[in-house]
Amino acid sequence: MFFQLLINGLIAGAIYALVASGFSLIYSTCKFVHFAHGATIAFSAYFLYFFFVTLGLSFWPAVILAIICACILGWLMNKIVYKKLRKRKASNVILLIASFALLILLESLILMLFGADVKTIGYIKIAKGLEFLGAIITPLQIVIIAVSIVLLISLYFFMKKTKIGKAMRAVADNKDVAEIVGISSEKIYAYSFIVGSAIAGIAGILVSLEQNLEPTMGTNLMIKGFTGAIIGGIGSVPGAVLGSFLLGLVENFGIWFLPSGYKDAIAFVILFIFLLFRHQGILGIKRNNK
C-alpha cells in the first residue's frame, strides 16, 4: 500500500511539476498569474488528437506539431492580449481577469471545434502493469515520470547556462535594471510564453496518453499546478517543482486515511495553509511590505 501510494504520488507530482514549472516561469518574468496556461495544456492534447486521430499523421510528427502549436498559442496570447494591455499600463488585476477570460474563451473554442464528448488518443494500448516492491506501475507511467524528470533537468540547465535563460532570470529579478543593460523585457516575455507553453504542451500530451480528453481538462491541472507553485514558492521554478511533487504525494497519501473523493479537497486545504501561514512558499523569499 505504501509503495503504491508513493508511486501514484510521484506520477501525479511529475505532471503537476510540468504544469507548475511553465506557469512559474511565465509568472517570474511577467509578474502576473497566467491562468490561461490551463487552456494551453488542453489545446495541446486536442492538437495531438487532431493531427494523430483526425488527420491520421504518424504519432511523433503529430506530437511535434502539437508542441509547436502550443508554443504558437502561448505566443499569440501574449502578443494579442497581454502585450496590448501592458502598453495601456494595465494593472496585474486586469491581466489576471484577462487570463481568466482567455481560459474560458479557449475552453469554449475547444468545445465548439471538437464537441463535448470524451475523446481518446488510443496510441498506447493498455498494458499489464509491472510489479515493483508490491506496487503496480504501467510502462506509460514510467515514461511520464522519466520524461518529466529529463524535461525539468533540461529546464534547469536552460535557465542557468543559456543566454536566453540568464536574460529571463535578469528580467525576473529586476526588469528596469535588465533593460538598462540592453535586455528587451518584451522579447523576454515572449520567450517565457513560448518556453512555458512548450512545457505545458508536453504535459498535455502526456496526460492525453493516459486519460480521456475533455475541454475543461486544463482547468483542474492548472489549479494543481498553481497550488504546487504556491507551496514551493511562486516565481521560483525549482520551488514550483518541489511543491508539485509534495502536493502529489500528500494528495495520494491523504486518501490512505480519507475517501479518494477528498483528493481535491486535500489540495485546497494545503493551498489555504500555505497562503495563511507561509505565502512565500517553501523556497520563496519573504518580502517586507512596510
Side-chain angles (χ1 to χ4, degrees), residues 28-29 31 86 89 167-186 188-189:
S28 64
T29 53
K31 299 290 186 267
R86 283 196 298 268
K89 308 293 182 189
M168 285 179 177
R169 288 164 51 210
V171 170
D173 188 50
N174 193 315
K175 185 193 78 168
D176 296 329
V177 173
E179 287 187 338
I180 288 172
V181 297
I183 298 172
S184 168
S185 58
E186 283 299 334
I188 296 304
Y189 294 158

Side-chain angles (χ1 to χ4, degrees), residues 24-264:
S24 192
L25 177 67
I26 293 171
Y27 177 86
S28 64
T29 53
C30 302
K31 299 290 186 267
F32 76 95
V33 179
H34 172 51
F35 275 116
H37 197 62
T40 308
I41 296 167
F43 248 109
S44 64
Y46 275 89
F47 280 137
L48 179 63
Y49 176 84
F50 175 72
F51 291 123
F52 180 63
V53 178
T54 307
L55 296 185
L57 297 181
S58 298
F59 180 71
W60 290 110
V63 167
I64 293 169
L65 284 172
I67 294 171
I68 292 172
C69 288
C71 294
I72 294 172
L73 179 63
W75 177 77
L76 283 175
M77 280 193 274
N78 178 59
K79 178 82 173 176
I80 296 173
V81 180
Y82 299 134
K83 186 175 180 180
K84 292 188 184 304
L85 287 173
R86 283 196 298 268
K87 278 187 178 177
R88 296 183 182 184
K89 308 293 182 189
S91 66
N92 285 350
V93 175
I94 299 296
L95 290 168
L96 174 67
I97 294 170
S99 74
F100 265 121
L102 271 175
L103 174 64
I104 296 169
L105 176 66
L106 291 172
E107 284 181 346
S108 301
L109 190 59
I110 292 174
L111 190 63
M112 186 178 75
L113 293 174
F114 295 95
D117 55 317
V118 171
K119 293 181 169 51
T120 55
I121 300 295
Y123 173 68
I124 298 178
K125 304 298 178 189
I126 297 174
K128 187 180 178 183
L130 306 172
E131 190 168 342
F132 178 71
L133 295 174
I136 303 295
I137 184 169
T138 66
L140 175 59
Q141 290 171 332
I142 295 173
V143 170
I144 288 174
I145 294 176
V147 169
S148 300
I149 291 173
V150 169
L151 202 61
L152 293 171
I153 292 173
S154 302
L155 178 64
Y156 174 81
F157 283 104
F158 172 79
M159 296 296 292
K160 289 286 184 184
K161 301 294 181 185
T162 68
K163 188 177 177 181
I164 295 176
K166 290 176 182 175
M168 285 179 177
R169 288 164 51 210
V171 170
D173 188 50
N174 193 315
K175 185 193 78 168
D176 296 329
V177 173
E179 287 187 338
I180 288 172
V181 297
I183 298 172
S184 168
S185 58
E186 283 299 334
K187 273 188 180 178
I188 296 304
Y189 294 158
Y191 291 147
S192 299
F193 271 89
I194 291 170
V195 175
S197 299
I199 298 170
I202 295 169
I205 288 167
L206 290 174
V207 171
S208 72
L209 293 175
E210 195 185 31
Q211 300 175 10
N212 296 326
L213 274 63
E214 297 176 76
T216 56
M217 61 185 284
T219 301
N220 188 46
L221 285 169
M222 183 61 230
I223 291 171
K224 297 297 176 66
F226 176 70
T227 304
I230 292 290
I231 293 171
I234 193 165
S236 163
V237 175
V241 173
L242 173 65
S244 299
F245 275 102
L246 282 176
L247 175 63
L249 290 170
V250 173
E251 265 189 357
N252 280 278
F253 277 106
I255 61 172
W256 199 344
F257 307 99
L258 297 169
S260 59
Y262 286 91
K263 192 182 276 189
D264 289 341

Side-chain angles (χ1 to χ4, degrees), residues 7-20:
I7 288 174
N8 292 347
L10 290 175
I11 295 165
I15 295 292
Y16 298 163
L18 286 179
V19 177

